[in-house]
mmCIF file of all heavy atoms in Angstrom:
data_model
loop_
_atom_site.group_PDB
_atom_site.id
_atom_site.type_symbol
_atom_site.label_atom_id
_atom_site.label_comp_id
_atom_site.label_asym_id
_atom_site.label_seq_id
_atom_site.Cartn_x
_atom_site.Cartn_y
_atom_site.Cartn_z
ATOM 1 N N LEU A 1014 3.583 10.475 18.315
ATOM 2 C CA LEU A 1014 4.145 10.949 17.055
ATOM 3 C C LEU A 1014 3.032 11.406 16.121
ATOM 4 O O LEU A 1014 1.959 10.802 16.074
ATOM 5 C CB LEU A 1014 4.945 9.826 16.381
ATOM 6 C CG LEU A 1014 6.162 9.289 17.138
ATOM 7 C CD1 LEU A 1014 6.795 8.154 16.364
ATOM 8 C CD2 LEU A 1014 7.175 10.381 17.407
ATOM 9 N N GLU A 1015 3.286 12.473 15.393
ATOM 10 C CA GLU A 1015 2.342 12.959 14.402
ATOM 11 C C GLU A 1015 2.455 12.093 13.154
ATOM 12 O O GLU A 1015 3.555 11.821 12.673
ATOM 13 C CB GLU A 1015 2.632 14.420 14.050
ATOM 14 C CG GLU A 1015 2.399 15.395 15.187
ATOM 15 C CD GLU A 1015 0.922 15.534 15.534
ATOM 16 O OE1 GLU A 1015 0.091 15.305 14.639
ATOM 17 O OE2 GLU A 1015 0.621 15.865 16.699
ATOM 18 N N VAL A 1016 1.300 11.671 12.613
ATOM 19 C CA VAL A 1016 1.311 10.746 11.480
ATOM 20 C C VAL A 1016 2.102 11.300 10.306
ATOM 21 O O VAL A 1016 2.838 10.566 9.624
ATOM 22 C CB VAL A 1016 -0.131 10.369 11.059
ATOM 23 C CG1 VAL A 1016 -0.896 11.580 10.524
ATOM 24 C CG2 VAL A 1016 -0.113 9.252 10.032
ATOM 25 N N ASP A 1017 2.018 12.596 10.073
ATOM 26 C CA ASP A 1017 2.720 13.167 8.927
ATOM 27 C C ASP A 1017 4.216 13.347 9.179
ATOM 28 O O ASP A 1017 4.957 13.710 8.269
ATOM 29 C CB ASP A 1017 2.092 14.511 8.528
ATOM 30 C CG ASP A 1017 0.771 14.319 7.802
ATOM 31 O OD1 ASP A 1017 0.697 13.421 6.942
ATOM 32 O OD2 ASP A 1017 -0.189 15.051 8.099
ATOM 33 N N GLU A 1018 4.663 13.071 10.411
ATOM 34 C CA GLU A 1018 6.096 13.116 10.696
ATOM 35 C C GLU A 1018 6.773 11.796 10.336
ATOM 36 O O GLU A 1018 7.881 11.788 9.812
ATOM 37 C CB GLU A 1018 6.339 13.418 12.179
ATOM 38 C CG GLU A 1018 5.970 14.831 12.598
ATOM 39 C CD GLU A 1018 6.249 15.059 14.075
ATOM 40 O OE1 GLU A 1018 6.719 14.108 14.750
ATOM 41 O OE2 GLU A 1018 5.996 16.175 14.567
ATOM 42 N N PHE A 1019 6.102 10.672 10.631
ATOM 43 C CA PHE A 1019 6.763 9.382 10.436
ATOM 44 C C PHE A 1019 6.252 8.584 9.247
ATOM 45 O O PHE A 1019 6.990 7.795 8.654
ATOM 46 C CB PHE A 1019 6.650 8.513 11.707
ATOM 47 C CG PHE A 1019 5.256 8.048 12.017
ATOM 48 C CD1 PHE A 1019 4.744 6.889 11.439
ATOM 49 C CD2 PHE A 1019 4.444 8.750 12.899
ATOM 50 C CE1 PHE A 1019 3.461 6.453 11.725
ATOM 51 C CE2 PHE A 1019 3.162 8.322 13.189
ATOM 52 C CZ PHE A 1019 2.661 7.171 12.596
ATOM 53 N N ALA A 1020 4.994 8.767 8.872
ATOM 54 C CA ALA A 1020 4.414 7.931 7.820
ATOM 55 C C ALA A 1020 5.149 8.015 6.487
ATOM 56 O O ALA A 1020 5.225 7.004 5.770
ATOM 57 C CB ALA A 1020 2.940 8.275 7.636
ATOM 58 N N PRO A 1021 5.709 9.159 6.093
ATOM 59 C CA PRO A 1021 6.420 9.194 4.808
ATOM 60 C C PRO A 1021 7.606 8.235 4.727
ATOM 61 O O PRO A 1021 8.044 7.892 3.624
ATOM 62 C CB PRO A 1021 6.888 10.652 4.707
ATOM 63 C CG PRO A 1021 5.880 11.420 5.492
ATOM 64 C CD PRO A 1021 5.547 10.521 6.657
ATOM 65 N N ARG A 1022 8.119 7.780 5.873
ATOM 66 C CA ARG A 1022 9.288 6.894 5.862
ATOM 67 C C ARG A 1022 8.902 5.427 6.027
ATOM 68 O O ARG A 1022 9.779 4.559 6.076
ATOM 69 C CB ARG A 1022 10.276 7.283 6.964
ATOM 70 C CG ARG A 1022 10.772 8.696 6.888
ATOM 71 C CD ARG A 1022 11.254 9.064 5.492
ATOM 72 N NE ARG A 1022 12.386 8.268 5.046
ATOM 73 C CZ ARG A 1022 12.825 8.249 3.785
ATOM 74 N NH1 ARG A 1022 12.210 8.948 2.870
ATOM 75 N NH2 ARG A 1022 13.869 7.511 3.464
ATOM 76 N N LEU A 1023 7.620 5.124 6.096
ATOM 77 C CA LEU A 1023 7.207 3.722 6.123
ATOM 78 C C LEU A 1023 7.323 3.143 4.717
ATOM 79 O O LEU A 1023 7.003 3.804 3.733
ATOM 80 C CB LEU A 1023 5.768 3.586 6.620
ATOM 81 C CG LEU A 1023 5.475 4.069 8.036
ATOM 82 C CD1 LEU A 1023 4.008 3.859 8.370
ATOM 83 C CD2 LEU A 1023 6.358 3.364 9.058
ATOM 84 N N SER A 1024 7.776 1.915 4.628
ATOM 85 C CA SER A 1024 7.849 1.252 3.321
ATOM 86 C C SER A 1024 7.262 -0.146 3.451
ATOM 87 O O SER A 1024 7.051 -0.654 4.556
ATOM 88 C CB SER A 1024 9.298 1.180 2.820
ATOM 89 O OG SER A 1024 10.087 0.362 3.658
ATOM 90 N N PHE A 1025 7.023 -0.757 2.309
ATOM 91 C CA PHE A 1025 6.381 -2.067 2.278
ATOM 92 C C PHE A 1025 7.186 -3.008 1.377
ATOM 93 O O PHE A 1025 8.017 -2.571 0.578
ATOM 94 C CB PHE A 1025 4.933 -1.938 1.789
ATOM 95 C CG PHE A 1025 4.026 -1.296 2.805
ATOM 96 C CD1 PHE A 1025 4.060 0.080 3.022
ATOM 97 C CD2 PHE A 1025 3.159 -2.064 3.566
ATOM 98 C CE1 PHE A 1025 3.249 0.680 3.964
ATOM 99 C CE2 PHE A 1025 2.338 -1.469 4.520
ATOM 100 C CZ PHE A 1025 2.381 -0.102 4.719
ATOM 101 N N PHE A 1026 6.916 -4.297 1.536
ATOM 102 C CA PHE A 1026 7.697 -5.320 0.847
ATOM 103 C C PHE A 1026 6.744 -6.441 0.447
ATOM 104 O O PHE A 1026 6.172 -7.096 1.306
ATOM 105 C CB PHE A 1026 8.792 -5.809 1.799
ATOM 106 C CG PHE A 1026 9.606 -6.991 1.344
ATOM 107 C CD1 PHE A 1026 9.696 -7.361 0.009
ATOM 108 C CD2 PHE A 1026 10.327 -7.731 2.271
ATOM 109 C CE1 PHE A 1026 10.458 -8.444 -0.395
ATOM 110 C CE2 PHE A 1026 11.101 -8.814 1.881
ATOM 111 C CZ PHE A 1026 11.158 -9.174 0.548
ATOM 112 N N PHE A 1027 6.570 -6.612 -0.859
ATOM 113 C CA PHE A 1027 5.614 -7.604 -1.350
ATOM 114 C C PHE A 1027 6.285 -8.706 -2.153
ATOM 115 O O PHE A 1027 7.363 -8.520 -2.731
ATOM 116 C CB PHE A 1027 4.545 -6.937 -2.222
ATOM 117 C CG PHE A 1027 3.595 -6.066 -1.456
ATOM 118 C CD1 PHE A 1027 3.625 -4.687 -1.595
ATOM 119 C CD2 PHE A 1027 2.667 -6.625 -0.588
ATOM 120 C CE1 PHE A 1027 2.749 -3.881 -0.896
ATOM 121 C CE2 PHE A 1027 1.787 -5.819 0.127
ATOM 122 C CZ PHE A 1027 1.830 -4.445 -0.034
ATOM 123 N N ASN A 1028 5.609 -9.820 -2.195
ATOM 124 C CA ASN A 1028 5.972 -10.964 -3.019
ATOM 125 C C ASN A 1028 5.392 -10.755 -4.417
ATOM 126 O O ASN A 1028 4.369 -10.097 -4.570
ATOM 127 C CB ASN A 1028 5.365 -12.221 -2.375
ATOM 128 C CG ASN A 1028 5.905 -13.527 -2.911
ATOM 129 O OD1 ASN A 1028 5.746 -13.822 -4.082
ATOM 130 N ND2 ASN A 1028 6.506 -14.317 -2.032
ATOM 131 N N CYS A 1029 6.038 -11.297 -5.427
ATOM 132 C CA CYS A 1029 5.442 -11.292 -6.760
ATOM 133 C C CYS A 1029 5.473 -12.711 -7.308
ATOM 134 O O CYS A 1029 6.542 -13.255 -7.603
ATOM 135 C CB CYS A 1029 6.164 -10.342 -7.708
ATOM 136 S SG CYS A 1029 5.182 -9.943 -9.164
ATOM 137 N N HIS A 1030 4.300 -13.327 -7.410
ATOM 138 C CA HIS A 1030 4.177 -14.737 -7.769
ATOM 139 C C HIS A 1030 3.877 -14.881 -9.258
ATOM 140 O O HIS A 1030 4.069 -13.949 -10.044
ATOM 141 C CB HIS A 1030 3.085 -15.382 -6.905
ATOM 142 C CG HIS A 1030 3.379 -16.791 -6.503
ATOM 143 N ND1 HIS A 1030 3.433 -17.826 -7.415
ATOM 144 C CD2 HIS A 1030 3.623 -17.342 -5.293
ATOM 145 C CE1 HIS A 1030 3.697 -18.953 -6.779
ATOM 146 N NE2 HIS A 1030 3.819 -18.687 -5.485
ATOM 147 N N ASN A 1031 3.423 -16.048 -9.654
ATOM 148 C CA ASN A 1031 3.316 -16.387 -11.077
ATOM 149 C C ASN A 1031 2.077 -15.834 -11.782
ATOM 150 O O ASN A 1031 2.107 -15.666 -12.994
ATOM 151 C CB ASN A 1031 3.320 -17.913 -11.250
ATOM 152 C CG ASN A 1031 4.703 -18.507 -11.057
ATOM 153 O OD1 ASN A 1031 5.710 -17.829 -11.240
ATOM 154 N ND2 ASN A 1031 4.765 -19.776 -10.680
ATOM 155 N N SER A 1032 0.990 -15.598 -11.071
ATOM 156 C CA SER A 1032 -0.232 -15.138 -11.733
ATOM 157 C C SER A 1032 -0.064 -13.666 -12.119
ATOM 158 O O SER A 1032 -0.296 -12.755 -11.313
ATOM 159 C CB SER A 1032 -1.449 -15.322 -10.831
ATOM 160 O OG SER A 1032 -1.801 -16.676 -10.760
ATOM 161 N N PHE A 1033 0.312 -13.469 -13.350
ATOM 162 C CA PHE A 1033 0.790 -12.182 -13.855
ATOM 163 C C PHE A 1033 -0.194 -11.045 -13.571
ATOM 164 O O PHE A 1033 0.158 -10.040 -12.943
ATOM 165 C CB PHE A 1033 1.030 -12.330 -15.360
ATOM 166 C CG PHE A 1033 1.762 -11.200 -16.000
ATOM 167 C CD1 PHE A 1033 3.124 -11.032 -15.787
ATOM 168 C CD2 PHE A 1033 1.104 -10.315 -16.829
ATOM 169 C CE1 PHE A 1033 3.816 -9.997 -16.396
ATOM 170 C CE2 PHE A 1033 1.787 -9.284 -17.448
ATOM 171 C CZ PHE A 1033 3.133 -9.125 -17.231
ATOM 172 N N PHE A 1034 -1.414 -11.177 -13.999
ATOM 173 C CA PHE A 1034 -2.375 -10.077 -13.874
ATOM 174 C C PHE A 1034 -2.852 -9.914 -12.432
ATOM 175 O O PHE A 1034 -3.130 -8.796 -11.989
ATOM 176 C CB PHE A 1034 -3.553 -10.290 -14.825
ATOM 177 C CG PHE A 1034 -3.153 -10.259 -16.271
ATOM 178 C CD1 PHE A 1034 -3.176 -11.410 -17.049
ATOM 179 C CD2 PHE A 1034 -2.725 -9.078 -16.862
ATOM 180 C CE1 PHE A 1034 -2.795 -11.383 -18.379
ATOM 181 C CE2 PHE A 1034 -2.338 -9.036 -18.185
ATOM 182 C CZ PHE A 1034 -2.375 -10.186 -18.952
ATOM 183 N N GLU A 1035 -2.942 -11.010 -11.687
ATOM 184 C CA GLU A 1035 -3.315 -10.920 -10.282
ATOM 185 C C GLU A 1035 -2.296 -10.095 -9.504
ATOM 186 O O GLU A 1035 -2.657 -9.254 -8.663
ATOM 187 C CB GLU A 1035 -3.438 -12.312 -9.666
ATOM 188 C CG GLU A 1035 -3.764 -12.301 -8.180
ATOM 189 C CD GLU A 1035 -3.931 -13.694 -7.606
ATOM 190 O OE1 GLU A 1035 -2.985 -14.504 -7.688
ATOM 191 O OE2 GLU A 1035 -5.022 -13.975 -7.096
ATOM 192 N N GLU A 1036 -1.021 -10.329 -9.782
ATOM 193 C CA GLU A 1036 0.025 -9.607 -9.058
ATOM 194 C C GLU A 1036 -0.001 -8.119 -9.384
ATOM 195 O O GLU A 1036 0.122 -7.267 -8.498
ATOM 196 C CB GLU A 1036 1.399 -10.209 -9.364
ATOM 197 C CG GLU A 1036 1.577 -11.630 -8.868
ATOM 198 C CD GLU A 1036 1.384 -11.766 -7.364
ATOM 199 O OE1 GLU A 1036 1.937 -10.943 -6.608
ATOM 200 O OE2 GLU A 1036 0.662 -12.678 -6.940
ATOM 201 N N ILE A 1037 -0.154 -7.784 -10.661
ATOM 202 C CA ILE A 1037 -0.217 -6.377 -11.055
ATOM 203 C C ILE A 1037 -1.409 -5.703 -10.382
ATOM 204 O O ILE A 1037 -1.300 -4.596 -9.838
ATOM 205 C CB ILE A 1037 -0.307 -6.260 -12.588
ATOM 206 C CG1 ILE A 1037 0.995 -6.770 -13.230
ATOM 207 C CG2 ILE A 1037 -0.588 -4.819 -13.016
ATOM 208 C CD1 ILE A 1037 0.898 -6.993 -14.727
ATOM 209 N N ALA A 1038 -2.549 -6.372 -10.401
ATOM 210 C CA ALA A 1038 -3.746 -5.826 -9.768
ATOM 211 C C ALA A 1038 -3.550 -5.677 -8.261
ATOM 212 O O ALA A 1038 -4.034 -4.707 -7.654
ATOM 213 C CB ALA A 1038 -4.947 -6.721 -10.070
ATOM 214 N N LYS A 1039 -2.857 -6.613 -7.643
ATOM 215 C CA LYS A 1039 -2.590 -6.547 -6.197
ATOM 216 C C LYS A 1039 -1.819 -5.283 -5.842
ATOM 217 O O LYS A 1039 -2.160 -4.572 -4.880
ATOM 218 C CB LYS A 1039 -1.806 -7.787 -5.768
ATOM 219 C CG LYS A 1039 -1.430 -7.834 -4.292
ATOM 220 C CD LYS A 1039 -0.532 -9.027 -3.991
ATOM 221 C CE LYS A 1039 0.892 -8.799 -4.482
ATOM 222 N NZ LYS A 1039 1.772 -9.953 -4.193
ATOM 223 N N PHE A 1040 -0.791 -4.979 -6.615
ATOM 224 C CA PHE A 1040 0.022 -3.799 -6.328
ATOM 225 C C PHE A 1040 -0.789 -2.517 -6.508
ATOM 226 O O PHE A 1040 -0.663 -1.568 -5.725
ATOM 227 C CB PHE A 1040 1.250 -3.772 -7.235
ATOM 228 C CG PHE A 1040 2.189 -4.931 -7.036
ATOM 229 C CD1 PHE A 1040 2.744 -5.591 -8.125
ATOM 230 C CD2 PHE A 1040 2.521 -5.363 -5.770
ATOM 231 C CE1 PHE A 1040 3.613 -6.661 -7.952
ATOM 232 C CE2 PHE A 1040 3.388 -6.438 -5.579
ATOM 233 C CZ PHE A 1040 3.925 -7.086 -6.679
ATOM 234 N N ARG A 1041 -1.636 -2.480 -7.535
ATOM 235 C CA ARG A 1041 -2.427 -1.281 -7.796
ATOM 236 C C ARG A 1041 -3.476 -1.112 -6.689
ATOM 237 O O ARG A 1041 -3.710 0.004 -6.202
ATOM 238 C CB ARG A 1041 -3.087 -1.385 -9.177
ATOM 239 C CG ARG A 1041 -2.058 -1.511 -10.292
ATOM 240 C CD ARG A 1041 -2.672 -1.824 -11.646
ATOM 241 N NE ARG A 1041 -3.072 -0.594 -12.330
ATOM 242 C CZ ARG A 1041 -4.295 -0.190 -12.516
ATOM 243 N NH1 ARG A 1041 -5.310 -0.931 -12.064
ATOM 244 N NH2 ARG A 1041 -4.565 0.939 -13.170
ATOM 245 N N ALA A 1042 -4.095 -2.209 -6.273
ATOM 246 C CA ALA A 1042 -5.069 -2.149 -5.179
ATOM 247 C C ALA A 1042 -4.402 -1.718 -3.878
ATOM 248 O O ALA A 1042 -4.998 -0.981 -3.072
ATOM 249 C CB ALA A 1042 -5.754 -3.502 -5.007
ATOM 250 N N ALA A 1043 -3.169 -2.167 -3.654
ATOM 251 C CA ALA A 1043 -2.447 -1.815 -2.424
ATOM 252 C C ALA A 1043 -2.308 -0.301 -2.292
ATOM 253 O O ALA A 1043 -2.564 0.266 -1.220
ATOM 254 C CB ALA A 1043 -1.064 -2.469 -2.426
ATOM 255 N N ARG A 1044 -1.910 0.351 -3.372
ATOM 256 C CA ARG A 1044 -1.730 1.794 -3.302
ATOM 257 C C ARG A 1044 -3.052 2.508 -3.042
ATOM 258 O O ARG A 1044 -3.110 3.482 -2.271
ATOM 259 C CB ARG A 1044 -1.098 2.314 -4.600
ATOM 260 C CG ARG A 1044 0.386 2.039 -4.718
ATOM 261 C CD ARG A 1044 1.007 2.781 -5.882
ATOM 262 N NE ARG A 1044 0.526 2.267 -7.162
ATOM 263 C CZ ARG A 1044 1.123 1.303 -7.861
ATOM 264 N NH1 ARG A 1044 2.234 0.744 -7.388
ATOM 265 N NH2 ARG A 1044 0.642 0.907 -9.015
ATOM 266 N N ARG A 1045 -4.121 2.028 -3.668
ATOM 267 C CA ARG A 1045 -5.414 2.690 -3.521
ATOM 268 C C ARG A 1045 -5.954 2.535 -2.096
ATOM 269 O O ARG A 1045 -6.439 3.500 -1.494
ATOM 270 C CB ARG A 1045 -6.404 2.116 -4.535
ATOM 271 C CG ARG A 1045 -7.661 2.954 -4.673
ATOM 272 C CD ARG A 1045 -8.269 2.795 -6.039
ATOM 273 N NE ARG A 1045 -8.899 1.503 -6.243
ATOM 274 C CZ ARG A 1045 -9.139 0.970 -7.447
ATOM 275 N NH1 ARG A 1045 -8.771 1.623 -8.540
ATOM 276 N NH2 ARG A 1045 -9.727 -0.200 -7.566
ATOM 277 N N ILE A 1046 -5.866 1.313 -1.557
ATOM 278 C CA ILE A 1046 -6.330 1.090 -0.178
ATOM 279 C C ILE A 1046 -5.534 1.952 0.795
ATOM 280 O O ILE A 1046 -6.097 2.615 1.682
ATOM 281 C CB ILE A 1046 -6.206 -0.395 0.211
ATOM 282 C CG1 ILE A 1046 -7.172 -1.260 -0.605
ATOM 283 C CG2 ILE A 1046 -6.456 -0.586 1.713
ATOM 284 C CD1 ILE A 1046 -6.949 -2.752 -0.426
ATOM 285 N N TYR A 1047 -4.223 1.951 0.649
ATOM 286 C CA TYR A 1047 -3.358 2.664 1.591
ATOM 287 C C TYR A 1047 -3.669 4.152 1.589
ATOM 288 O O TYR A 1047 -3.798 4.777 2.656
ATOM 289 C CB TYR A 1047 -1.898 2.420 1.221
ATOM 290 C CG TYR A 1047 -0.912 2.924 2.246
ATOM 291 C CD1 TYR A 1047 -0.720 2.243 3.442
ATOM 292 C CD2 TYR A 1047 -0.161 4.080 2.026
ATOM 293 C CE1 TYR A 1047 0.193 2.693 4.387
ATOM 294 C CE2 TYR A 1047 0.747 4.543 2.956
ATOM 295 C CZ TYR A 1047 0.924 3.843 4.133
ATOM 296 O OH TYR A 1047 1.823 4.294 5.065
ATOM 297 N N ALA A 1048 -3.811 4.731 0.398
ATOM 298 C CA ALA A 1048 -4.079 6.164 0.310
ATOM 299 C C ALA A 1048 -5.391 6.512 1.005
ATOM 300 O O ALA A 1048 -5.476 7.498 1.765
ATOM 301 C CB ALA A 1048 -4.116 6.601 -1.154
ATOM 302 N N ARG A 1049 -6.406 5.714 0.764
ATOM 303 C CA ARG A 1049 -7.723 6.022 1.324
ATOM 304 C C ARG A 1049 -7.765 5.832 2.829
ATOM 305 O O ARG A 1049 -8.331 6.646 3.561
ATOM 306 C CB ARG A 1049 -8.784 5.176 0.626
ATOM 307 C CG ARG A 1049 -9.017 5.621 -0.819
ATOM 308 C CD ARG A 1049 -9.975 4.722 -1.566
ATOM 309 N NE ARG A 1049 -10.293 5.294 -2.886
ATOM 310 C CZ ARG A 1049 -10.933 4.659 -3.856
ATOM 311 N NH1 ARG A 1049 -11.340 3.405 -3.661
ATOM 312 N NH2 ARG A 1049 -11.178 5.246 -5.011
ATOM 313 N N VAL A 1050 -7.158 4.740 3.314
ATOM 314 C CA VAL A 1050 -7.194 4.467 4.751
ATOM 315 C C VAL A 1050 -6.353 5.483 5.517
ATOM 316 O O VAL A 1050 -6.772 5.978 6.580
ATOM 317 C CB VAL A 1050 -6.744 3.025 5.044
ATOM 318 C CG1 VAL A 1050 -6.540 2.809 6.540
ATOM 319 C CG2 VAL A 1050 -7.765 2.025 4.515
ATOM 320 N N MET A 1051 -5.173 5.799 5.012
ATOM 321 C CA MET A 1051 -4.336 6.788 5.704
ATOM 322 C C MET A 1051 -5.028 8.140 5.781
ATOM 323 O O MET A 1051 -4.883 8.874 6.765
ATOM 324 C CB MET A 1051 -2.987 6.913 4.994
ATOM 325 C CG MET A 1051 -2.086 5.694 5.146
ATOM 326 S SD MET A 1051 -1.635 5.318 6.857
ATOM 327 C CE MET A 1051 -0.518 6.674 7.213
ATOM 328 N N ASP A 1052 -5.799 8.463 4.770
ATOM 329 C CA ASP A 1052 -6.548 9.721 4.751
ATOM 330 C C ASP A 1052 -7.756 9.656 5.680
ATOM 331 O O ASP A 1052 -7.922 10.494 6.578
ATOM 332 C CB ASP A 1052 -6.984 10.005 3.315
ATOM 333 C CG ASP A 1052 -7.729 11.327 3.158
ATOM 334 O OD1 ASP A 1052 -7.849 12.079 4.146
ATOM 335 O OD2 ASP A 1052 -8.196 11.609 2.046
ATOM 336 N N GLU A 1053 -8.570 8.636 5.499
ATOM 337 C CA GLU A 1053 -9.869 8.596 6.176
ATOM 338 C C GLU A 1053 -9.796 8.094 7.626
ATOM 339 O O GLU A 1053 -10.568 8.533 8.477
ATOM 340 C CB GLU A 1053 -10.831 7.723 5.371
ATOM 341 C CG GLU A 1053 -11.138 8.303 3.985
ATOM 342 C CD GLU A 1053 -11.906 7.340 3.102
ATOM 343 O OE1 GLU A 1053 -12.355 6.279 3.614
ATOM 344 O OE2 GLU A 1053 -12.042 7.631 1.894
ATOM 345 N N TRP A 1054 -8.882 7.171 7.911
ATOM 346 C CA TRP A 1054 -8.806 6.619 9.266
ATOM 347 C C TRP A 1054 -7.809 7.354 10.150
ATOM 348 O O TRP A 1054 -8.023 7.465 11.356
ATOM 349 C CB TRP A 1054 -8.422 5.131 9.216
ATOM 350 C CG TRP A 1054 -9.450 4.223 8.602
ATOM 351 C CD1 TRP A 1054 -10.583 4.587 7.915
ATOM 352 C CD2 TRP A 1054 -9.446 2.798 8.619
ATOM 353 N NE1 TRP A 1054 -11.263 3.476 7.498
ATOM 354 C CE2 TRP A 1054 -10.596 2.361 7.905
ATOM 355 C CE3 TRP A 1054 -8.587 1.843 9.137
ATOM 356 C CZ2 TRP A 1054 -10.902 1.015 7.720
ATOM 357 C CZ3 TRP A 1054 -8.877 0.494 8.957
ATOM 358 C CH2 TRP A 1054 -10.024 0.082 8.267
ATOM 359 N N TYR A 1055 -6.707 7.821 9.553
ATOM 360 C CA TYR A 1055 -5.616 8.368 10.373
ATOM 361 C C TYR A 1055 -5.346 9.843 10.107
ATOM 362 O O TYR A 1055 -4.386 10.392 10.645
ATOM 363 C CB TYR A 1055 -4.352 7.525 10.174
ATOM 364 C CG TYR A 1055 -4.593 6.064 10.493
ATOM 365 C CD1 TYR A 1055 -4.532 5.096 9.501
ATOM 366 C CD2 TYR A 1055 -4.946 5.672 11.784
ATOM 367 C CE1 TYR A 1055 -4.790 3.757 9.786
ATOM 368 C CE2 TYR A 1055 -5.215 4.347 12.079
ATOM 369 C CZ TYR A 1055 -5.140 3.389 11.076
ATOM 370 O OH TYR A 1055 -5.406 2.081 11.351
#
């Protein structure tokens, strides 16, 4: 399968715990890592 055929339909599911700023930072870091790895590795 071509990555650009299936990757747009992948989704993710995260927990959101009590440490307010840690959780917000986690979500922002997730998007940044994913964008870079999908570009550079795949």
Side-chain angles (χ1 to χ4, degrees):
L1014 298 178
E1015 294 291 334
V1016 65
D1017 285 317
E1018 291 180 0
F1019 68 86
R1022 302 311 298 168
L1023 298 180
S1024 65
F1025 288 76
F1026 173 20
F1027 290 110
N1028 194 298
C1029 197
H1030 216 293
N1031 285 335
S1032 286
F1033 191 73
F1034 296 110
E1035 177 178 59
E1036 295 301 314
I1037 294 167
K1039 179 186 75 180
F1040 297 137
R1041 300 171 87 252
R1044 284 190 292 268
R1045 193 153 72 201
I1046 293 171
Y1047 189 75
R1049 289 175 173 169
V1050 170
M1051 290 299 289
D1052 182 4
E1053 296 171 9
W1054 293 10
Y1055 304 114

